[in-house]
Amino acid sequence: MLRYLQEDEWLIIEEGLDRENQKKSESLFSLGNGHMGMRANFEETYSGPSLRGLYLAGIYYPDKTRVGWWKNGYPEYFAKVLNAPNWIGMKLVFNGSELDLEQMKVDTFCRTLNMKEGILNREFVASWPDGKRIRVETERFLSMERREIGAIRYSATPLNFSGILEASLFIEGNVFNEDSNYDETFWEPVSQAVIDDYCILHTRTGKSNFDICMAMHTECSLSNDHTSVSHDQILREKYVSDHYNINFLAGDKIRFTKIVSVTTSRDYPKEYLEEQSIKRLREATTAGYRKLREEQVLSWEKKWRTGDIIIEGDISAQQGIRFNIFQLNQTYTGHDPLLNIGPKGFTGEKYGGSTYWDTEAFCLPFYMSTGGKEVARNLLLYRYRQLDKAIENAQKLGFNNGAALFPMVTMNGEECHNEWEITFEEIHRNGAIAFAIYNYIRHTGDEQYLAEYGLEVLIAISRFWSQRFTFSDPLQKFVILGVTGPNEYENNVNNNWYTNYIAAWTLFWTLDCIELIRDKYNLDWKLILEKTNFNPDPETSRWFTILNHLHLPSDEKSGIFLQQDGYLDKEQQLVTDLLPAERPINQHWSWDRILRSCFIKQADVLQGLYLFEENFEKEVIKRNFDFYEPRTVHESSLSPCVHAILASRLGYSELAYELYLRTSRLDLDDYNHEIQEGCHITSMAGTWLALVEGFGGMRIIGDHLHFNPCLPIKWKSLTFTVHFRNTIISININQSGIRIHAGGIEEIELFINGKGYKIKSGTEITINH
Ligand code: BGC
């Protein structure tokens, strides 16, 4: 664990510039607004180690797959979110010396991310070897209100010298991804121009043919009227710049304002892109920097009003959860059903910015509870729109009759992951997509979604499971052979309990849904039959047969579910048997040794017991938890949160707290030594789950919310808010009890520690232990 940032409830603060931490801070201080996002690179030149990153949601490049041995069915490419033209750039040269903190002595430095307002600030005093000193203050944000707008304010005060500043405020299109298979150039030039004093850079991605247009307006204002400024504009291929020559005196404060609009052909026809970019920019510059800033503060205030979690008595935990919530809201806002959540959001290149099962299994509840129904619905619609591609994908692998296998990794519905043991075998992802529909409906009550979209997806997934189950003669049971479960430290195993369970559950629930839609939404039902060519009798009768002869591996002696048929054949060891020097095992052991070992990367059987908790006795969950937790190395960031929730439920409070801390400050304290690559955005949703479902003990059972709170001893109180059906409920848990306030329009009935209460809208109840 590494901690170099200051603790604060609302701010992330870095005091002093340690260049070793630069790439880490670039990840941690990232900004985003759902439409675009960027690492916290400096505006001015920085010649030290840095990972430049500015990403636009949904803009990707199909980077040709690189594998040694091609296998039929492999995807042709891996979609990469692109490092887009750098619009924050400034080159500042004072009397011939360039401002570059790598080459200068940094006297003071402070970088602050204000999570309450969504604003990044920096202040430093630095000097060149010849003794010239300068003070700089910067501020930047990506507007939440106007998603295509970003703004920077940059002030420089030469402290002890006079002279000439040559400043170029530019947009640079010659940018690269560190993670590129063939070092191809991802961006082609389209045009660069000056229109109405705005610099415009229009570029196009190779292969995927997305156009993006950035328009920039800059201003320079000076604290001293006598200072003279001349200004011109420079254009060359993939580069535009506002160039200033400024004669200044020592102590003059030179302030630049840079406002940029970023439009993409995802949103507008290409021929109108430049016009739209100028339009957006003109609206923003007319409003002015101060107004844009005010809007930003208000937008975030609104987000925090329903999204905040307050922890009293533990500043470190408070900062941790706010950081997680802040990053989740920066990554996805739910305004566009064609967008989704990359595991690193806009904070790095890893995982290509693509969609994983993380969205359905981990992220959905956060957005559903804090963002509301529409935001969550858009996450589901994303998959609905990709159903045809999922059917094609399954066809490529030899399935038929409308069976769908959703991809493990995708940008546009096509599979782009190419490790066979994941691409072809980690099919449990299909189950998470079905579960998300169930989760959404029980949370929002939006049955209509099922009639219009959901059932179609469920039928296609069920068809896949039905074909993927095969009948084993010796067992006289239906089995699923050759899979990888959530635990990627075992491949090609037979009957992964989690996969078999979620597959069977999907069949079971789809049967329920069919009945509901056929009886209650008959018109929709007819449309579905037509669209899917669904033949209920023969198809569902096979599903019933599978359910009646299902193989779920278990061990009678210990009373646990088996992670897979052969799990107990492995040499049984515990994580406590590992030497500290061997951890993480994925960096110290051969892959072969990992696969042969019993060590578990992330929740697997326990993932199932978490999702389907209400189907199991507490005693069963306890037995499995006691068996699997000591064998789990938690080398996926998605793991500790699931264990934390179950630990809370089982009354293992200390363990729950320890696991919770590991997820909540995973990035801030760089537990995994990889923060320089970007933040773990999807695991941040897991942190939220660990608080709300773990310590808050929130569950939805039937049509009702249940709370079984268990607050860590260290905390005075925990407060959070959730949207549920037509109400907004605020929950405050302290050491002596729980207080619940019901907003919205309806009276709500809910359960606290198993006892039912009715709360009228606008009122609250307090229940003491
Ligand atoms: C995990 C997967 C996850 C992926 C992206 C991997 O390390 O094992 O479950 O989908 O990371 O977060």
Side-chain angles (χ1 to χ4, degrees):
M1 169 170 125
L2 175 134
R3 189 171 286 194
Y4 68 94
L5 303 168
Q6 318 288 309
E7 286 186 350
D8 184 279
E9 290 189 354
W10 281 108
L11 307 174
I12 308 295
I13 307 166
E14 179 186 12
E15 292 272 11
L17 180 68
D18 179 346
R19 294 177 179 86
E20 289 287 304
N21 291 335
Q22 175 62 358
K23 280 190 172 180
K24 298 176 188 162
S25 295
E26 286 176 345
S27 302
L28 289 166
F29 290 78
S30 292
L31 292 178
N33 66 1
H35 171 70
M36 59 181 158
M38 54 169 63
R39 289 169 59 81
N41 305 122
F42 293 164
E43 287 86 359
E44 75 280 357
T45 303
Y46 182 70
S47 56
S50 158
L51 173 61
R52 283 238 147 240
L54 197 155
Y55 313 101
L56 305 180
I59 302 293
Y60 65 91
Y61 183 82
D63 203 15
K64 195 166 171 317
T65 295
R66 202 174 184 127
V67 280
W69 299 94
W70 191 265
K71 292 189 167 55
N72 266 346
Y74 266 2
E76 302 286 321
Y77 69 90
F78 193 101
K80 301 243 159 95
V81 68
L82 291 186
N83 186 15
N86 165 21
W87 61 255
I88 65 168
M90 298 187 183
K91 181 172 173 165
L92 303 170
V93 182
F94 292 83
N95 292 351
S97 309
E98 183 164 5
L99 182 57
D100 173 358
L101 288 188
E102 172 70 357
Q103 309 296 336
M104 298 168 74
K105 180 169 165 295
V106 180
D107 302 332
T108 61
F109 178 94
C110 182
R111 174 165 20 198
T112 313
L113 179 62
N114 184 330
M115 300 185 284
K116 194 172 189 175
E117 303 184 338
I119 292 177
L120 174 65
N121 288 96
R122 226 167 16 117
E123 268 181 46
F124 60 84
V125 175
S127 39
W128 283 274
D130 62 5
K132 294 198 299 282
R133 288 183 90 209
I134 186 152
R135 173 187 301 124
V136 171
E137 291 143 331
T138 72
E139 177 169 285
R140 92 174 174 238
F141 57 87
L142 299 181
S143 174
M144 271 284 175
E145 189 65 30
R146 309 172 192 233
R147 290 176 207 292
E148 288 152 331
I149 297 294
I152 300 173
R153 221 172 225 167
Y154 195 103
S155 307
T157 312
L159 294 173
N160 58 355
F161 64 104
S162 307
I164 296 177
L165 164 62
E166 282 190 72
S168 300
L169 278 60
F170 58 83
I171 307 177
E172 167 67 86
N174 272 314
V175 287
F176 305 92
N177 273 45
E178 266 192 7
D179 170 25
S180 135
N181 285 343
Y182 294 91
D183 291 331
E184 285 172 286
T185 307
F186 293 154
W187 294 100
E188 313 284 346
V190 178
S191 65
Q192 40 281 321
V194 175
I195 301 175
D196 296 344
D197 204 35
Y198 297 155
C199 289
I200 321 268
L201 184 73
H202 185 163
T203 46
R204 177 168 300 151
T205 60
K207 293 187 193 167
S208 48
N209 267 317
F210 290 107
D211 276 25
I212 68 154
C213 181
M214 296 183 171
M216 160 178 89
H217 174 74
T218 69
E219 269 172 28
C220 173
S221 72
L222 305 151
S223 60
N224 178 351
D225 293 348
H226 304 295
T227 312
S228 76
V229 181
S230 66
H231 168 222
D232 58 357
Q233 281 150 330
I234 296 172
L235 307 180
R236 44 174 202 265
E237 192 175 271
K238 290 203 264 181
Y239 178 90
V240 291
S241 155
D242 263 337
H243 189 80
Y244 292 88
N245 261 298
I246 302 166
N247 277 301
F248 62 84
L249 296 175
D252 285 355
K253 187 172 189 171
I254 306 160
R255 191 176 77 184
F256 295 108
T257 305
K258 186 174 185 183
I259 301 181
V260 176
S261 67
V262 180
T263 54
T264 80
S265 58
R266 284 189 58 255
D267 298 311
Y268 308 104
K270 289 183 182 176
E271 58 275 28
Y272 299 122
L273 204 55
E274 294 184 14
E275 192 182 311
Q276 286 298 331
S277 220
I278 293 171
K279 186 163 176 262
R280 300 283 161 249
L281 182 60
R282 182 164 295 124
E283 287 161 3
T285 52
T286 306
Y289 185 87
R290 199 182 292 174
K291 171 98 170 77
L292 295 176
R293 194 186 189 287
E294 277 166 21
E295 287 173 0
Q296 178 75 348
V297 174
L298 280 178
S299 288
W300 274 101
E301 193 187 306
K302 229 189 279 164
K303 289 243 173 244
W304 287 113
R305 219 176 288 148
T306 51
D308 194 16
I309 292 190
I310 301 167
I311 298 171
E312 268 190 305
D314 189 340
I315 192 164
S316 173
Q318 176 67 79
Q319 186 185 39
I321 186 60
R322 286 216 171 108
F323 181 67
N324 288 244
I325 296 171
F326 178 69
Q327 289 292 357
L328 286 164
N329 281 324
Q330 293 207 107
T331 304
Y332 182 77
T333 55
H335 67 281
D336 181 345
L338 296 177
L339 296 180
N340 209 279
I341 305 151
K344 297 256 170 229
F346 297 118
T347 69
E349 294 176 7
K350 203 173 167 197
Y351 296 117
S354 303
T355 307
Y356 285 65
W357 73 304
D358 305 27
T359 295
E360 285 78 14
F362 295 86
C363 301
L364 181 73
F366 166 80
Y367 292 104
M368 201 149 58
S369 295
T370 65
K373 186 167 131 187
E374 289 311 313
V375 174
R377 198 171 206 259
N378 276 348
L379 280 177
L380 298 194
L381 282 174
Y382 176 89
R383 295 290 191 178
Y384 176 77
R385 284 166 192 252
Q386 298 183 349
L387 180 57
D388 288 348
K389 291 255 169 60
I391 292 174
E392 252 174 59
N393 185 38
Q395 263 167 7
K396 277 189 209 154
L397 306 189
F399 299 87
N400 53 39
N401 186 33
L405 176 61
F406 282 90
M408 184 64 191
V409 179
T410 194
M411 266 292 178
N412 63 358
E414 284 165 353
E415 175 63 81
C416 37
H417 196 286
N418 60 17
E419 285 171 277
W420 66 269
E421 63 276 25
I422 293 180
T423 312
F424 304 144
E425 296 207 327
E426 227 180 306
I427 52 176
H428 66 80
R429 62 200 186 237
N430 245 13
I433 290 165
F435 183 83
I437 300 174
Y438 163 77
N439 207 4
Y440 167 80
I441 291 168
R442 73 174 169 174
H443 194 114
T444 60
D446 181 9
E447 243 175 42
Q448 188 68 37
Y449 180 84
L450 197 58
E452 278 177 49
Y453 308 103
L455 185 55
E456 221 179 300
V457 174
L458 290 174
I459 288 175
I461 294 180
S462 291
R463 282 171 157 170
F464 172 81
W465 289 130
S466 169
Q467 293 171 42
R468 192 62 170 77
F469 271 111
T470 50
F471 189 69
S472 153
D473 244 355
L475 287 176
Q476 287 291 299
K477 292 267 165 85
F478 280 89
V479 294
I480 301 188
L481 305 179
V483 299
T484 299
N487 166 34
E488 292 174 344
Y489 287 178
E490 279 192 322
N491 299 150
N492 208 34
V493 296
N494 292 336
N495 297 307
N496 167 255
W497 182 86
Y498 173 79
T499 307
N500 285 20
Y501 191 89
I502 205 163
W505 172 87
T506 311
L507 296 179
F508 188 80
W509 191 56
T510 307
L511 288 166
D512 269 2
C513 295
I514 286 175
E515 229 172 82
L516 175 84
I517 301 304
R518 192 191 52 213
D519 298 348
K520 201 165 155 190
Y521 300 87
N522 199 260
L523 264 182
D524 293 291
W525 172 239
K526 286 189 178 133
L527 285 175
I528 293 171
L529 287 182
E530 213 175 287
K531 200 161 170 202
T532 58
N533 253 330
F534 188 56
N535 202 346
D537 279 348
E539 294 202 43
T540 58
S541 75
R542 178 171 161 93
W543 303 358
F544 280 115
T545 315
I546 293 171
L547 291 173
N548 289 332
H549 300 86
L550 177 66
H551 175 55
L552 285 172
S554 62
D555 177 50
E556 264 180 38
K557 199 164 132 222
S558 56
I560 55 153
F561 300 124
L562 285 184
Q563 189 167 276
Q564 44 100 356
D565 281 348
Y567 185 77
L568 285 183
D569 298 335
K570 291 181 157 191
E571 186 190 353
Q572 293 300 314
Q573 284 183 297
L574 303 184
V575 176
T576 45
D577 298 328
L578 290 167
L579 298 172
E582 294 176 287
R583 312 237 358 233
I585 57 172
N586 65 16
Q587 285 171 23
H588 295 95
W589 283 13
S590 74
W591 189 236
D592 170 67
R593 188 173 174 195
I594 290 177
L595 293 179
R596 281 185 285 112
S597 84
C598 72
F599 292 115
I600 302 169
K601 180 184 181 189
Q602 68 199 87
D604 193 305
V605 168
L606 297 186
Q607 181 78 32
L609 294 179
Y610 158 63
L611 292 181
F612 301 104
E613 187 192 295
E614 63 182 279
N615 297 351
F616 298 95
E617 298 292 328
K618 197 166 169 185
E619 196 39 47
V620 174
I621 299 178
K622 183 172 178 318
R623 264 202 309 273
N624 282 278
F625 186 89
D626 291 347
F627 181 81
Y628 285 111
E629 158 55 24
R631 289 164 172 77
T632 307
V633 285
H634 297 296
E635 289 178 13
S636 159
S637 64
L638 299 178
S639 187
C641 53
V642 174
H643 285 234
I645 297 168
L646 291 176
S648 291
R649 183 36 78 86
L650 295 171
Y652 297 142
S653 326
E654 270 177 41
L655 179 61
Y657 184 65
E658 187 196 314
L659 288 162
Y660 165 75
L661 279 189
R662 227 188 282 181
T663 125
S664 116
R665 294 194 60 97
L666 174 78
D667 288 328
L668 285 177
D669 295 339
D670 196 15
Y671 274 95
N672 287 3
H673 303 281
E674 56 182 20
I675 184 60
Q676 65 283 355
E677 293 174 354
C679 297
H680 297 82
I681 301 298
T682 51
S683 99
M684 293 181 176
T687 306
W688 183 91
L689 290 170
L691 270 180
V692 171
E693 298 186 2
F695 303 135
M698 184 177 102
R699 298 288 183 280
I700 301 166
I701 303 178
D703 285 332
H704 296 108
L705 273 181
H706 288 239
F707 294 92
N708 290 291
C710 84
L711 199 63
I713 300 171
K714 213 179 150 193
W715 296 357
K716 271 203 209 140
S717 73
L718 167 67
T719 307
F720 58 92
T721 303
V722 291
H723 289 251
F724 179 73
R725 309 259 168 129
N726 289 324
T727 46
I728 297 180
I729 299 155
S730 305
I731 301 98
N732 172 273
I733 302 162
N734 58 34
Q735 296 295 353
S736 54
I738 179 167
R739 192 177 70 237
I740 299 193
H741 178 273
I745 44 171
E746 287 171 12
E747 176 179 89
I748 181 161
E749 183 178 6
L750 47 74
F751 292 79
I752 300 170
N753 294 325
K755 192 161 173 234
Y757 299 90
K758 287 190 174 158
I759 316 177
K760 286 210 174 70
S761 161
T763 67
E764 61 181 43
I765 56 162
T766 302
I767 310 294
N768 291 321
H769 301 311

